[in-house]
Amino acid sequence: MKGQLLIMLLDRQSETPLYFQLYQQIKADYDPQRDGDRRLWSVRRLAQSLGVSKTTVVQAYEQLLAEGLVYSVPGSGYYFHQLQAWPGVQAPAATTRTSSLNEPTPTAPCRYDLRYGHTPLIKPSWNAWKKAVREALRQVEEAPADHAPIAQGSLALRQRLVAFLKTTRGVDCQADQIVITNGAKAGLAVLLSLLPAGTVGVENPGYRGLQELATGYQHRVVSLPVTPTGVDLESVKQLAPAVVYTTPAHQFPLGVVMPVTQRLQLLEWAAHSRRLIIEDDYDSEYRYASHPLPALQSLATAGQVVYLGRFSRSIDPSLRMGYLVLPPQLVPVYQAQYRYRSPMVAGLIQQAMLNYFDSGAYYRHINRSRVINRKKYDLVCAELARTTLIEPIATGAGLHMVVRIPNLSQTKLLAALAEQSVRIYPLESNWQRMPTHDYYLLGFAALTLDDLTIALRRLVSVCERLGHP
C-alpha cells in the first residue's frame, strides 16, 4: 500500500475534484487477494504525502466507505474489505451483437401534499428545454428522414447515453444495447415480454406496480424481504427467482444502500445460477452525503444485469422518457421481436433530448436540481428533529423520506393532517405484511422550501398534539 500511494498523481488542473481522483485511484489499485483487511494510510499521513488537505483525503475515504469497499475501526483507521468476488476480466458476450415507482391513488387536491414522484419546474432548465425543442423542430423540418428513429430509439441519442452512463454511473454498454422507452414501466414491460414465463422476485417493501405488470406477461411474482443492506440474499437463494428486481443504490422506499460486498454476492449468484437482475436506478442523481455510487451493472461480468433508467426525475414527470440497457444476449431477442414496431418516443422529442445533452443544459439542470433538493432534504431532517414522536429513516439521498410515527392511530393522524391541508402516505400499498401500520412516505421535491417548512411544522404540531393530549 505504501508504494501505491507514493506514486499517486493528482491533476490539479482537472475539473474532477481532487478527492474523487484520489478515490478513483485507490479503487483502481484495489486487489482483493492482496489488500483484504489491510489498513489504509492515515488521513494525516496521506494528506502530507500528496500535498492535499485532510478534508480531501477524508472525502475520498468516505466515498469508499459509502460503497462498502472499506470499513472503519474507531481509533484505528480505515481498512479494505476482503471481497473475493471482485470482478476480473470481462467475460465475452454470449451472442454476436447486431414510471414512477410510487403513484398514489388520485385524491382531492391538498395544499401541502407530500406526494412522491413530482418535481417542480426549474425556470432556467425549462427555458433551455424549450430551446432544445425549438431547435429540434427546425432540424426535423429541414431533414425529416434523418430524425425518424427506429423502434429501439434514435441512434445519436443512444450513443450519447453510452458516454453519459459510463461517466456518471460506470455503466459499460454499447448503443445497440439501449432501448429508448416512454418511461420506466414501459421499459419493464418490454423486458418482461422478452423473457420466458417464470418467477420474478420483487423487493418488499418495493414497487407495487410490478406484480400486475409481470402477471400480464405470465410471470409469477414472489416477495423478497429488504434488510438494512438491501434485498435479502438468503431469500433470493432460497426462492431462486428467474429474475430479481432491485433498487440497490437507494432502495425504494426505505432508502438503504446495498454495499459492494452484498452486490458482488448477488452478482455471483446470478452468474452461477444463470439468473437475471433488473437494476432500477430510479434516483441516482440525488445523493447528498457522497458521490453517486457506481451502478450494479458496472460490476457485472456475465451479462446478468438489465439497467433501467429514466429522465422524468431529472427534468419533469410529464416527459415520459426512459431507457433500458439490455445485456448482450437479449439484444437479438429484442430486435427479433420489436424490429418493425414504432418507436415509443416521438423522434422530435428524442432529438430535443439530444440537443439538451449537447448544449450542456442537462448537466446544468442536474446540478441545479441537486442543490435545491439537498436544501429540502436538510430541511426535512432539521424540522423532524424537533420532535421525538417521528422517527425518520434518513439516508442522505433521494427525493423522499420514510418515517415511522409509532403510538399514533393512523386514521386519527391522517384526519388531523387533512384538517391542516397536509397529506402524507402510508406504506401499506408498498409493503406486503407490513410489521406495523406506522410507516409513512414523505415526498418533498414537489413543494417549495417555504411550503415544505409549513407542511413539516404542521406535521410535527399534529403529532405533538395527538401524542400529548
Side-chain angles (χ1 to χ4, degrees):
M1 191 68 180
K2 178 179 178 181
Q4 293 174 1
L5 293 178
L6 284 176
I7 63 173
M8 283 185 176
L9 298 177
L10 301 180
D11 183 3
R12 287 166 170 78
Q13 305 302 317
S14 173
E15 295 182 357
T16 303
L18 293 178
Y19 89 89
F20 197 66
Q21 293 183 45
L22 177 58
Y23 147 78
Q24 289 177 314
Q25 292 191 46
I26 296 176
K27 180 177 179 178
D29 289 340
Y30 171 67
D31 184 339
Q33 303 300 326
R34 180 194 64 209
D35 294 330
D37 296 324
R38 177 173 293 190
R39 184 174 181 268
L40 280 72
W41 275 18
S42 70
V43 171
R44 180 187 60 80
R45 188 180 180 194
L46 182 54
Q48 290 178 344
S49 174
L50 298 177
V52 298
S53 69
K54 290 192 289 186
T55 300
T56 297
V57 178
V58 169
Q59 287 179 309
Y61 281 2
E62 289 299 313
Q63 180 66 30
L64 293 165
L65 189 68
E67 293 184 24
L69 282 173
V70 304
Y71 63 95
S72 64
V73 177
S76 179
Y78 295 88
Y79 294 78
F80 274 116
H81 269 301
Q82 197 164 17
L83 307 175
Q84 298 301 327
W86 189 254
V89 179
Q90 179 74 26
T95 61
T96 302
R97 300 187 191 183
T98 56
S99 110
S100 69
L101 288 170
N102 184 36
E103 300 176 351
T105 302
T107 53
C110 177
R111 178 70 180 84
Y112 304 105
D113 192 344
L114 292 167
R115 177 178 179 176
Y116 173 76
H118 281 216
T119 54
L121 298 179
I122 301 175
K123 189 171 182 180
S125 301
W126 190 245
N127 289 339
W129 172 249
K130 290 189 291 185
K131 182 179 179 180
V133 173
R134 288 194 297 269
E135 177 64 13
L137 283 168
R138 184 192 64 79
Q139 293 165 323
V140 171
E141 183 179 23
E142 291 182 353
D146 295 340
H147 300 90
I150 61 174
Q152 197 165 348
S154 161
L155 177 59
L157 179 57
R158 288 185 282 124
Q159 289 172 334
R160 172 63 67 185
L161 276 172
V162 168
F164 171 74
L165 291 173
K166 181 64 176 178
T167 302
T168 60
R169 307 294 295 119
V171 171
D172 188 13
C173 67
Q174 297 184 16
D176 67 349
Q177 292 176 247
I178 298 177
V179 179
I180 304 298
T181 70
N182 63 356
K185 190 172 183 179
L188 285 169
V190 168
L191 176 63
L192 292 170
S193 73
L194 302 178
L195 302 175
T199 305
V200 178
V202 181
E203 294 174 329
N204 182 40
Y207 175 32
R208 68 182 184 185
L210 188 52
Q211 178 160 352
E212 182 178 353
L213 187 64
T215 302
Y217 288 96
Q218 310 305 312
H219 296 280
R220 184 173 66 88
V221 173
V222 295
S223 294
L224 301 173
V226 173
T227 73
T229 57
V231 64
D232 181 52
L233 286 181
E234 290 305 315
S235 296
V236 169
K237 294 175 181 178
Q238 180 179 358
L239 296 172
V243 180
V244 172
Y245 171 91
T246 183
T247 50
H250 185 233
Q251 198 278 330
F252 184 85
L254 296 182
V256 298
V257 176
M258 185 185 296
V260 70
T261 312
Q262 188 160 324
R263 293 180 183 218
L264 293 171
Q265 293 174 1
L266 179 62
L267 289 169
E268 188 175 27
W269 168 82
H272 288 172
S273 58
R274 297 186 178 181
R275 300 298 203 266
L276 196 65
I277 301 168
I278 303 174
E279 177 184 14
D280 193 341
D281 204 20
Y282 70 100
D283 70 350
S284 60
E285 303 93 340
Y286 301 105
R287 187 166 183 82
Y288 312 121
S290 61
H291 196 82
L293 305 181
L296 184 67
Q297 196 268 6
S298 69
L299 299 173
T301 59
Q304 69 269 54
V305 177
V306 177
Y307 182 86
L308 185 68
R310 77 269 284 150
F311 294 117
S312 59
R313 291 288 176 274
S314 307
I315 301 174
D316 182 72
S318 63
L319 179 64
R320 304 300 300 174
M321 191 186 307
Y323 46 90
L324 193 64
V325 181
L326 299 170
Q329 70 271 18
L330 284 181
V331 172
V333 181
Y334 168 83
Q335 291 176 341
Q337 188 166 327
Y338 284 86
R339 183 189 302 272
Y340 300 109
R341 301 196 187 187
S342 299
M344 290 189 181
V345 179
L348 173 67
I349 301 301
Q350 294 192 49
Q351 182 60 41
M353 191 69 227
L354 179 61
N355 295 342
Y356 201 58
F357 263 115
D358 288 345
S359 68
Y362 183 70
Y363 300 93
R364 291 191 293 273
H365 168 71
I366 290 297
N367 289 334
R368 292 188 193 106
S369 186
R370 187 183 295 114
V371 169
I372 292 171
N373 284 299
R374 177 168 188 166
K375 291 179 180 178
K376 294 179 181 180
Y377 174 86
D378 290 341
L379 176 63
V380 173
C381 293
E383 291 297 329
L384 296 186
R386 296 170 57 238
T387 180
T388 59
L389 297 178
I390 303 177
E391 302 171 3
I393 303 178
T395 60
L399 301 176
H400 74 279
M401 187 179 295
V402 170
V403 300
R404 187 182 179 204
I405 309 178
N407 306 317
L408 293 183
S409 163
Q410 184 181 107
T411 301
K412 291 182 179 179
L413 173 61
L414 296 180
L417 288 174
E419 292 177 357
Q420 298 294 317
S421 296
V422 176
R423 180 176 295 146
I424 63 176
Y425 292 86
L427 272 189
E428 277 93 344
S429 61
N430 294 94
W431 199 335
Q432 296 181 29
R433 299 180 298 279
M434 190 165 70
T436 57
H437 296 278
D438 49 21
Y439 285 91
Y440 303 86
L441 187 146
L442 279 58
F444 52 79
L447 298 180
T448 65
L449 283 168
D450 288 343
D451 283 352
L452 184 59
T453 300
I454 294 172
L456 293 169
R457 289 183 178 176
R458 290 187 180 185
L459 170 62
V460 170
S461 176
V462 167
C463 289
E464 290 287 339
R465 175 164 56 83
L466 296 179
H468 303 289

